[in-house]
Amino acid sequence: MLISLCVCMKKIIVANWKMNPVTLKEAEGLVRSYIRLKKSFKRSRVIVCPPFVFIPSLAQKIKTSFGGDVGAQNVARDDAGAHTGEVSARMLKSVGASFVIIGHSERRMMGDTDDSVHEKIHHALKAGLSVIFAVGESERGEDAHSVLRTQLCEGLRGVSAAYIKKIFFAYEPRWAISKGVHDAAGSADTPKNAIEKAIYMRRVIAHLYDARVAKKAIVLYGGSVRAKNAALFMHQEWGFDGALIGGASLDPHEFANIASIND
Ligand code: PGA
């Protein structure tokens, strides 16, 4: 099924800070640096995903100073109750988050399964959060289509078409993820391969829903995105609607250069 894509929409740039920085003071400093540089990325839609504990202190500033959204990096599969150490979707919403990353390969390595990802997606959507649903194969050369098909079908089980606009899909092959801000972009997937996966993901979504839903679905790329390769993933016909940035989001200049893709 052929699905034509629009390449002119505003790109979506997600900063996944992972377990960084180490103190609230440093996290506030990082946001201040983003704000100082915001004139270079005023046309991108930016979503910042700090560690849970920093969200209440940073959310307001991120929203008002550069119109960014705030997301969490994980969420519980339950709403409340005896689940020591967990944080629910409603809790996140109550402190200013409007997005949550679900299914990230680093969380899958820590125990998330297709089943828990599915439950987390339902909880998040029910609580009114939007979801950044990360999918991707673990090893280079693995049958990526089969992994993507399973992860998408399982994660989206029971999710109605009306909710797809609240889900940003992120193709993020685990083998392409960098070790941090100073890791070079060498391990990124090639734009050609990655874009082929995005087209395949839309095919799966079309199969689960219909071509119209698939055409409108937002698909991001993640895995060693840096300023020097960002445009290759996003500025092409059939290219990605945005990017999920890990290591490079901790370097404000590098991040601003990536996010300036619309300016
Ligand atoms: P990276 O991480 O940009 O450092 O490769 C991306 C991610 O894991 O979200």
Side-chain angles (χ1 to χ4, degrees), residues 202-259:
R202 287 182 193 278
R203 286 217 175 100
V204 175
I205 296 165
H207 176 75
L208 291 172
Y209 301 94
D210 59 45
R212 198 180 47 88
V213 171
K215 182 180 173 184
K216 286 193 181 153
I218 302 286
V219 185
L220 315 176
Y221 170 74
S224 296
V225 175
R226 299 289 183 273
K228 66 180 177 198
N229 65 6
L232 300 175
F233 291 98
M234 292 184 266
H235 269 177
Q236 309 200 25
E237 202 184 355
W238 304 89
F240 288 89
D241 302 305
L244 180 51
I245 318 291
S249 67
L250 301 171
D251 175 338
H253 285 97
E254 185 75 11
F255 181 72
N257 283 336
I258 297 169

Tab-separated table of all heavy atoms in Angstrom, residues 202-259:
chain	number	residue	atom	x	y	z
A	202	ARG	N	4.513	2.376	9.163
A	202	ARG	CA	3.230	2.923	8.682
A	202	ARG	C	2.383	1.833	8.030
A	202	ARG	O	1.158	1.848	8.111
A	202	ARG	CB	3.477	4.058	7.690
A	202	ARG	CG	3.974	5.320	8.359
A	202	ARG	CD	4.141	6.420	7.315
A	202	ARG	NE	4.899	7.514	7.876
A	202	ARG	CZ	4.374	8.474	8.643
A	202	ARG	NH1	3.086	8.463	8.911
A	202	ARG	NH2	5.143	9.426	9.132
A	203	ARG	N	3.051	0.880	7.389
A	203	ARG	CA	2.294	-0.241	6.788
A	203	ARG	C	1.596	-1.049	7.876
A	203	ARG	O	0.445	-1.445	7.734
A	203	ARG	CB	3.240	-1.185	6.031
A	203	ARG	CG	3.708	-0.610	4.747
A	203	ARG	CD	3.806	-1.706	3.665
A	203	ARG	NE	4.139	-1.037	2.430
A	203	ARG	CZ	5.378	-0.983	1.931
A	203	ARG	NH1	6.345	-1.626	2.516
A	203	ARG	NH2	5.602	-0.300	0.827
A	204	VAL	N	2.334	-1.296	8.978
A	204	VAL	CA	1.730	-2.065	10.076
A	204	VAL	C	0.548	-1.270	10.653
A	204	VAL	O	-0.528	-1.824	10.908
A	204	VAL	CB	2.774	-2.380	11.182
A	204	VAL	CG1	2.122	-3.067	12.374
A	204	VAL	CG2	3.914	-3.225	10.628
A	205	ILE	N	0.747	0.022	10.835
A	205	ILE	CA	-0.334	0.861	11.391
A	205	ILE	C	-1.529	0.870	10.427
A	205	ILE	O	-2.678	0.775	10.849
A	205	ILE	CB	0.180	2.297	11.680
A	205	ILE	CG1	1.280	2.243	12.768
A	205	ILE	CG2	-0.963	3.211	12.131
A	205	ILE	CD1	2.110	3.519	12.892
A	206	ALA	N	-1.249	0.912	9.136
A	206	ALA	CA	-2.331	0.883	8.135
A	206	ALA	C	-3.080	-0.450	8.228
A	206	ALA	O	-4.312	-0.488	8.115
A	206	ALA	CB	-1.764	1.082	6.733
A	207	HIS	N	-2.331	-1.509	8.458
A	207	HIS	CA	-2.951	-2.828	8.559
A	207	HIS	C	-3.836	-2.900	9.818
A	207	HIS	O	-4.938	-3.448	9.789
A	207	HIS	CB	-1.844	-3.884	8.591
A	207	HIS	CG	-2.346	-5.271	8.777
A	207	HIS	ND1	-2.970	-5.978	7.770
A	207	HIS	CD2	-2.351	-6.076	9.876
A	207	HIS	CE1	-3.322	-7.160	8.242
A	207	HIS	NE2	-2.965	-7.241	9.516
A	208	LEU	N	-3.349	-2.306	10.914
A	208	LEU	CA	-4.114	-2.351	12.170
A	208	LEU	C	-5.317	-1.410	12.144
A	208	LEU	O	-6.325	-1.665	12.788
A	208	LEU	CB	-3.216	-1.959	13.352
A	208	LEU	CG	-2.101	-2.938	13.726
A	208	LEU	CD1	-1.186	-2.324	14.787
A	208	LEU	CD2	-2.712	-4.239	14.248
A	209	TYR	N	-5.159	-0.286	11.445
A	209	TYR	CA	-6.232	0.719	11.396
A	209	TYR	C	-6.607	0.907	9.931
A	209	TYR	O	-7.261	0.061	9.368
A	209	TYR	CB	-5.762	2.021	12.077
A	209	TYR	CG	-5.384	1.784	13.520
A	209	TYR	CD1	-4.062	1.516	13.881
A	209	TYR	CD2	-6.355	1.774	14.524
A	209	TYR	CE1	-3.717	1.250	15.197
A	209	TYR	CE2	-6.016	1.509	15.847
A	209	TYR	CZ	-4.694	1.242	16.175
A	209	TYR	OH	-4.367	0.972	17.488
A	210	ASP	N	-6.153	2.008	9.343
A	210	ASP	CA	-6.342	2.175	7.897
A	210	ASP	C	-5.289	3.145	7.371
A	210	ASP	O	-4.522	3.728	8.154
A	210	ASP	CB	-7.773	2.629	7.565
A	210	ASP	CG	-8.143	3.941	8.231
A	210	ASP	OD1	-7.310	4.869	8.194
A	210	ASP	OD2	-9.244	4.052	8.791
A	211	ALA	N	-5.273	3.314	6.067
A	211	ALA	CA	-4.215	4.103	5.430
A	211	ALA	C	-4.244	5.565	5.877
A	211	ALA	O	-3.204	6.221	5.995
A	211	ALA	CB	-4.338	4.022	3.917
A	212	ARG	N	-5.433	6.056	6.146
A	212	ARG	CA	-5.558	7.464	6.557
A	212	ARG	C	-4.900	7.684	7.927
A	212	ARG	O	-4.156	8.632	8.153
A	212	ARG	CB	-7.049	7.834	6.612
A	212	ARG	CG	-7.366	9.321	6.592
A	212	ARG	CD	-8.866	9.537	6.656
A	212	ARG	NE	-9.473	8.708	7.705
A	212	ARG	CZ	-9.608	9.053	8.972
A	212	ARG	NH1	-9.185	10.229	9.378
A	212	ARG	NH2	-10.152	8.230	9.853
A	213	VAL	N	-5.160	6.760	8.841
A	213	VAL	CA	-4.552	6.828	10.184
A	213	VAL	C	-3.032	6.714	10.061
A	213	VAL	O	-2.265	7.468	10.679
A	213	VAL	CB	-5.118	5.701	11.094
A	213	VAL	CG1	-4.347	5.620	12.402
A	213	VAL	CG2	-6.596	5.929	11.361
A	214	ALA	N	-2.578	5.780	9.226
A	214	ALA	CA	-1.129	5.553	9.064
A	214	ALA	C	-0.447	6.772	8.471
A	214	ALA	O	0.666	7.136	8.867
A	214	ALA	CB	-0.905	4.335	8.178
A	215	LYS	N	-1.110	7.412	7.545
A	215	LYS	CA	-0.523	8.580	6.876
A	215	LYS	C	-0.307	9.710	7.879
A	215	LYS	O	0.684	10.422	7.841
A	215	LYS	CB	-1.462	9.023	5.750
A	215	LYS	CG	-0.966	10.190	4.948
A	215	LYS	CD	-1.947	10.548	3.861
A	215	LYS	CE	-1.521	11.824	3.178
A	215	LYS	NZ	-2.501	12.249	2.178
A	216	LYS	N	-1.255	9.835	8.812
A	216	LYS	CA	-1.172	10.933	9.787
A	216	LYS	C	-0.269	10.591	10.973
A	216	LYS	O	0.072	11.474	11.767
A	216	LYS	CB	-2.573	11.242	10.316
A	216	LYS	CG	-3.426	11.970	9.303
A	216	LYS	CD	-4.639	12.520	9.995
A	216	LYS	CE	-5.542	13.240	9.033
A	216	LYS	NZ	-6.931	13.219	9.474
A	217	ALA	N	0.079	9.322	11.144
A	217	ALA	CA	0.873	8.931	12.324
A	217	ALA	C	2.223	9.649	12.306
A	217	ALA	O	2.850	9.795	11.260
A	217	ALA	CB	1.071	7.415	12.331
A	218	ILE	N	2.643	10.089	13.491
A	218	ILE	CA	3.941	10.760	13.644
A	218	ILE	C	5.001	9.685	13.871
A	218	ILE	O	4.857	8.855	14.762
A	218	ILE	CB	3.902	11.679	14.898
A	218	ILE	CG1	2.779	12.718	14.804
A	218	ILE	CG2	5.257	12.310	15.175
A	218	ILE	CD1	3.024	13.828	13.862
A	219	VAL	N	6.063	9.714	13.085
A	219	VAL	CA	7.143	8.731	13.268
A	219	VAL	C	8.477	9.473	13.428
A	219	VAL	O	8.871	10.273	12.573
A	219	VAL	CB	7.215	7.720	12.104
A	219	VAL	CG1	8.265	6.648	12.413
A	219	VAL	CG2	5.867	7.056	11.848
A	220	LEU	N	9.140	9.206	14.555
A	220	LEU	CA	10.430	9.846	14.863
A	220	LEU	C	11.562	8.825	14.688
A	220	LEU	O	11.332	7.625	14.767
A	220	LEU	CB	10.444	10.326	16.320
A	220	LEU	CG	9.206	11.057	16.853
A	220	LEU	CD1	9.387	11.362	18.343
A	220	LEU	CD2	8.962	12.343	16.079
A	221	TYR	N	12.773	9.342	14.511
A	221	TYR	CA	13.945	8.451	14.530
A	221	TYR	C	14.777	8.758	15.774
A	221	TYR	O	14.967	9.924	16.139
A	221	TYR	CB	14.833	8.638	13.286
A	221	TYR	CG	16.152	7.904	13.450
A	221	TYR	CD1	16.208	6.516	13.347
A	221	TYR	CD2	17.325	8.588	13.791
A	221	TYR	CE1	17.389	5.826	13.578
A	221	TYR	CE2	18.521	7.908	14.020
A	221	TYR	CZ	18.539	6.516	13.914
A	221	TYR	OH	19.707	5.839	14.144
A	222	GLY	N	15.316	7.718	16.395
A	222	GLY	CA	16.233	7.908	17.522
A	222	GLY	C	17.405	6.953	17.401
A	222	GLY	O	17.262	5.801	16.960
A	223	GLY	N	18.579	7.420	17.811
A	223	GLY	CA	19.783	6.580	17.765
A	223	GLY	C	20.939	7.364	17.195
A	223	GLY	O	21.086	7.472	15.985
A	224	SER	N	21.741	7.976	18.089
A	224	SER	CA	22.937	8.730	17.691
A	224	SER	C	22.642	9.883	16.731
A	224	SER	O	23.416	10.128	15.800
A	224	SER	CB	23.975	7.789	17.075
A	224	SER	OG	24.425	6.869	18.036
A	225	VAL	N	21.540	10.572	16.964
A	225	VAL	CA	21.282	11.769	16.159
A	225	VAL	C	22.164	12.896	16.678
A	225	VAL	O	22.246	13.140	17.890
A	225	VAL	CB	19.791	12.183	16.211
A	225	VAL	CG1	19.577	13.499	15.454
A	225	VAL	CG2	18.907	11.086	15.638
A	226	ARG	N	22.834	13.565	15.761
A	226	ARG	CA	23.690	14.704	16.077
A	226	ARG	C	23.372	15.797	15.053
A	226	ARG	O	22.702	15.545	14.056
A	226	ARG	CB	25.176	14.332	15.959
A	226	ARG	CG	25.632	13.215	16.897
A	226	ARG	CD	25.682	13.684	18.352
A	226	ARG	NE	26.172	12.668	19.265
A	226	ARG	CZ	25.416	11.747	19.858
A	226	ARG	NH1	24.113	11.705	19.650
A	226	ARG	NH2	25.953	10.862	20.686
A	227	ALA	N	23.908	17.002	15.282
A	227	ALA	CA	23.618	18.108	14.358
A	227	ALA	C	24.030	17.746	12.932
A	227	ALA	O	23.363	18.114	11.972
A	227	ALA	CB	24.335	19.366	14.828
A	228	LYS	N	25.127	16.982	12.809
A	228	LYS	CA	25.628	16.728	11.453
A	228	LYS	C	24.806	15.689	10.674
A	228	LYS	O	24.934	15.613	9.460
A	228	LYS	CB	27.100	16.326	11.491
A	228	LYS	CG	27.413	15.024	12.155
A	228	LYS	CD	28.924	14.784	12.107
A	228	LYS	CE	29.253	13.491	12.838
A	228	LYS	NZ	30.620	13.364	13.205
A	229	ASN	N	23.991	14.896	11.355
A	229	ASN	CA	23.206	13.924	10.579
A	229	ASN	C	21.691	14.121	10.690
A	229	ASN	O	20.921	13.441	10.013
A	229	ASN	CB	23.593	12.479	10.965
A	229	ASN	CG	23.249	12.132	12.423
A	229	ASN	OD1	22.628	12.924	13.123
A	229	ASN	ND2	23.661	10.961	12.874
A	230	ALA	N	21.259	15.053	11.546
A	230	ALA	CA	19.820	15.202	11.814
A	230	ALA	C	19.002	15.444	10.543
A	230	ALA	O	17.959	14.810	10.331
A	230	ALA	CB	19.597	16.339	12.805
A	231	ALA	N	19.496	16.330	9.689
A	231	ALA	CA	18.723	16.678	8.489
A	231	ALA	C	18.575	15.482	7.551
A	231	ALA	O	17.579	15.359	6.840
A	231	ALA	CB	19.392	17.843	7.764
A	232	LEU	N	19.563	14.583	7.576
A	232	LEU	CA	19.496	13.418	6.684
A	232	LEU	C	18.292	12.526	7.025
A	232	LEU	O	17.738	11.864	6.172
A	232	LEU	CB	20.780	12.583	6.788
A	232	LEU	CG	22.075	13.300	6.429
A	232	LEU	CD1	23.277	12.394	6.693
A	232	LEU	CD2	22.052	13.741	4.970
A	233	PHE	N	17.926	12.516	8.307
A	233	PHE	CA	16.780	11.702	8.706
A	233	PHE	C	15.455	12.437	8.494
A	233	PHE	O	14.430	11.811	8.265
A	233	PHE	CB	16.890	11.309	10.190
A	233	PHE	CG	17.999	10.333	10.451
A	233	PHE	CD1	19.226	10.769	10.918
A	233	PHE	CD2	17.820	8.987	10.192
A	233	PHE	CE1	20.260	9.872	11.153
A	233	PHE	CE2	18.846	8.080	10.416
A	233	PHE	CZ	20.073	8.517	10.889
A	234	MET	N	15.504	13.758	8.607
A	234	MET	CA	14.236	14.493	8.636
A	234	MET	C	13.911	15.259	7.356
A	234	MET	O	12.750	15.484	7.067
A	234	MET	CB	14.228	15.449	9.834
A	234	MET	CG	14.174	14.719	11.158
A	234	MET	SD	14.046	15.830	12.558
A	234	MET	CE	15.756	16.012	13.013
A	235	HIS	N	14.926	15.649	6.608
A	235	HIS	CA	14.665	16.499	5.453
A	235	HIS	C	14.672	15.717	4.150
A	235	HIS	O	15.467	15.976	3.273
A	235	HIS	CB	15.721	17.606	5.370
A	235	HIS	CG	15.305	18.837	6.113
A	235	HIS	ND1	16.101	19.941	6.228
A	235	HIS	CD2	14.177	19.130	6.791
A	235	HIS	CE1	15.475	20.862	6.954
A	235	HIS	NE2	14.309	20.388	7.313
A	236	GLN	N	13.838	14.735	4.052
A	236	GLN	CA	13.770	13.983	2.814
A	236	GLN	C	12.328	13.610	2.595
A	236	GLN	O	11.570	13.452	3.552
A	236	GLN	CB	14.534	12.675	2.914
A	236	GLN	CG	15.923	12.801	3.404
A	236	GLN	CD	16.722	11.563	2.992
A	236	GLN	OE1	16.399	10.904	2.027
A	236	GLN	NE2	17.765	11.283	3.717
A	237	GLU	N	12.011	13.369	1.347
A	237	GLU	CA	10.693	12.845	1.077
A	237	GLU	C	10.619	11.504	1.806
A	237	GLU	O	11.620	10.763	1.840
A	237	GLU	CB	10.538	12.630	-0.427
A	237	GLU	CG	9.092	12.609	-0.818
A	237	GLU	CD	8.909	12.303	-2.282
A	237	GLU	OE1	9.910	12.204	-3.003
A	237	GLU	OE2	7.774	12.159	-2.690
A	238	TRP	N	9.531	11.173	2.413
A	238	TRP	CA	9.367	9.953	3.198
A	238	TRP	C	10.155	10.009	4.512
A	238	TRP	O	10.225	9.016	5.224
A	238	TRP	CB	9.825	8.690	2.437
A	238	TRP	CG	9.150	8.486	1.135
A	238	TRP	CD1	9.563	8.980	-0.074
A	238	TRP	CD2	7.946	7.773	0.883
A	238	TRP	NE1	8.696	8.600	-1.054
A	238	TRP	CE2	7.692	7.851	-0.487
A	238	TRP	CE3	7.062	7.070	1.696
A	238	TRP	CZ2	6.587	7.267	-1.078
A	238	TRP	CZ3	5.972	6.473	1.099
A	238	TRP	CH2	5.747	6.582	-0.273
A	239	GLY	N	10.785	11.126	4.821
A	239	GLY	CA	11.639	11.212	6.008
A	239	GLY	C	10.829	11.249	7.301
A	239	GLY	O	9.596	11.229	7.298
A	240	PHE	N	11.540	11.329	8.405
A	240	PHE	CA	10.916	11.284	9.726
A	240	PHE	C	10.292	12.627	10.104
A	240	PHE	O	10.725	13.684	9.644
A	240	PHE	CB	11.960	10.892	10.768
A	240	PHE	CG	12.351	9.445	10.680
A	240	PHE	CD1	13.394	9.049	9.854
A	240	PHE	CD2	11.662	8.479	11.401
A	240	PHE	CE1	13.749	7.712	9.754
A	240	PHE	CE2	12.002	7.140	11.311
A	240	PHE	CZ	13.045	6.755	10.483
A	241	ASP	N	9.293	12.555	10.994
A	241	ASP	CA	8.610	13.764	11.472
A	241	ASP	C	9.385	14.440	12.586
A	241	ASP	O	8.985	15.487	13.076
A	241	ASP	CB	7.218	13.391	12.002
A	241	ASP	CG	6.380	12.707	10.933
A	241	ASP	OD1	6.220	13.296	9.856
A	241	ASP	OD2	5.928	11.573	11.172
A	242	GLY	N	10.460	13.819	13.013
A	242	GLY	CA	11.244	14.412	14.086
A	242	GLY	C	12.245	13.400	14.614
A	242	GLY	O	12.460	12.351	14.005
A	243	ALA	N	12.834	13.723	15.761
A	243	ALA	CA	13.888	12.854	16.290
A	243	ALA	C	13.832	12.777	17.803
A	243	ALA	O	13.379	13.718	18.478
A	243	ALA	CB	15.254	13.379	15.842
A	244	LEU	N	14.287	11.643	18.299
A	244	LEU	CA	14.406	11.417	19.746
A	244	LEU	C	15.905	11.492	20.048
A	244	LEU	O	16.692	10.683	19.567
A	244	LEU	CB	13.828	10.028	20.052
A	244	LEU	CG	13.804	9.491	21.472
A	244	LEU	CD1	13.196	10.483	22.439
A	244	LEU	CD2	12.978	8.195	21.525
A	245	ILE	N	16.276	12.498	20.827
A	245	ILE	CA	17.690	12.797	21.032
A	245	ILE	C	18.097	12.441	22.456
A	245	ILE	O	17.566	13.012	23.414
A	245	ILE	CB	17.956	14.323	20.846
A	245	ILE	CG1	17.188	14.906	19.655
A	245	ILE	CG2	19.452	14.612	20.752
A	245	ILE	CD1	17.640	14.460	18.319
A	246	GLY	N	19.053	11.561	22.600
A	246	GLY	CA	19.554	11.198	23.927
A	246	GLY	C	20.768	12.039	24.274
A	246	GLY	O	20.677	13.194	24.711
A	247	GLY	N	21.960	11.468	24.075
A	247	GLY	CA	23.217	12.108	24.464
A	247	GLY	C	23.330	13.562	24.036
A	247	GLY	O	23.733	14.426	24.838
A	248	ALA	N	22.965	13.842	22.792
A	248	ALA	CA	23.154	15.206	22.274
A	248	ALA	C	22.238	16.226	22.954
A	248	ALA	O	22.494	17.434	22.881
A	248	ALA	CB	22.941	15.228	20.761
A	249	SER	N	21.199	15.764	23.640
A	249	SER	CA	20.305	16.731	24.295
A	249	SER	C	20.953	17.324	25.546
A	249	SER	O	20.473	18.314	26.099
A	249	SER	CB	18.966	16.082	24.654
A	249	SER	OG	19.130	15.112	25.653
A	250	LEU	N	22.052	16.719	25.996
A	250	LEU	CA	22.747	17.236	27.185
A	250	LEU	C	23.758	18.308	26.829
A	250	LEU	O	24.327	18.955	27.721
A	250	LEU	CB	23.449	16.076	27.908
A	250	LEU	CG	22.503	14.955	28.369
A	250	LEU	CD1	23.304	13.768	28.875
A	250	LEU	CD2	21.545	15.450	29.448
A	251	ASP	N	24.005	18.483	25.549
A	251	ASP	CA	24.881	19.562	25.078
A	251	ASP	C	23.973	20.610	24.436
A	251	ASP	O	23.464	20.410	23.327
A	251	ASP	CB	25.873	18.985	24.055
A	251	ASP	CG	26.740	20.071	23.434
A	251	ASP	OD1	26.339	21.258	23.451
A	251	ASP	OD2	27.808	19.729	22.914
A	252	PRO	N	23.712	21.726	25.132
A	252	PRO	CA	22.703	22.675	24.653
A	252	PRO	C	22.967	23.190	23.233
A	252	PRO	O	22.018	23.355	22.455
A	252	PRO	CB	22.783	23.827	25.658
A	252	PRO	CG	23.488	23.279	26.842
A	252	PRO	CD	24.326	22.131	26.398
A	253	HIS	N	24.229	23.416	22.870
A	253	HIS	CA	24.508	23.930	21.521
A	253	HIS	C	24.222	22.867	20.462
A	253	HIS	O	23.625	23.155	19.430
A	253	HIS	CB	25.953	24.434	21.416
A	253	HIS	CG	26.127	25.750	22.099
A	253	HIS	ND1	26.620	25.843	23.374
A	253	HIS	CD2	25.819	27.013	21.703
A	253	HIS	CE1	26.623	27.124	23.740
A	253	HIS	NE2	26.142	27.853	22.734
A	254	GLU	N	24.651	21.663	20.749
A	254	GLU	CA	24.394	20.564	19.812
A	254	GLU	C	22.875	20.364	19.676
A	254	GLU	O	22.351	20.224	18.572
A	254	GLU	CB	25.060	19.285	20.358
A	254	GLU	CG	24.990	18.085	19.456
A	254	GLU	CD	25.945	18.133	18.266
A	254	GLU	OE1	26.830	19.009	18.219
A	254	GLU	OE2	25.795	17.281	17.368
A	255	PHE	N	22.193	20.395	20.817
A	255	PHE	CA	20.743	20.201	20.789
A	255	PHE	C	20.062	21.313	19.992
A	255	PHE	O	19.197	21.059	19.154
A	255	PHE	CB	20.178	20.139	22.216
A	255	PHE	CG	18.690	19.923	22.229
A	255	PHE	CD1	18.150	18.690	21.883
A	255	PHE	CD2	17.826	20.959	22.571
A	255	PHE	CE1	16.782	18.479	21.862
A	255	PHE	CE2	16.440	20.760	22.552
A	255	PHE	CZ	15.925	19.520	22.201
A	256	ALA	N	20.483	22.558	20.250
A	256	ALA	CA	19.869	23.687	19.541
A	256	ALA	C	20.140	23.578	18.035
A	256	ALA	O	19.269	23.882	17.220
A	256	ALA	CB	20.420	25.009	20.087
A	257	ASN	N	21.327	23.103	17.671
A	257	ASN	CA	21.627	22.940	16.240
A	257	ASN	C	20.737	21.879	15.601
A	257	ASN	O	20.297	22.038	14.467
A	257	ASN	CB	23.099	22.553	16.034
A	257	ASN	CG	23.997	23.762	16.201
A	257	ASN	OD1	23.561	24.901	16.025
A	257	ASN	ND2	25.247	23.527	16.575
A	258	ILE	N	20.460	20.818	16.350
A	258	ILE	CA	19.543	19.794	15.819
A	258	ILE	C	18.133	20.375	15.710
A	258	ILE	O	17.469	20.256	14.686
A	258	ILE	CB	19.524	18.548	16.729
A	258	ILE	CG1	20.901	17.885	16.758
A	258	ILE	CG2	18.447	17.561	16.268
A	258	ILE	CD1	21.045	16.799	17.831
A	259	ALA	N	17.710	21.030	16.790
A	259	ALA	CA	16.327	21.537	16.837
A	259	ALA	C	16.102	22.708	15.884
A	259	ALA	O	14.951	23.078	15.622
A	259	ALA	CB	15.974	21.938	18.270
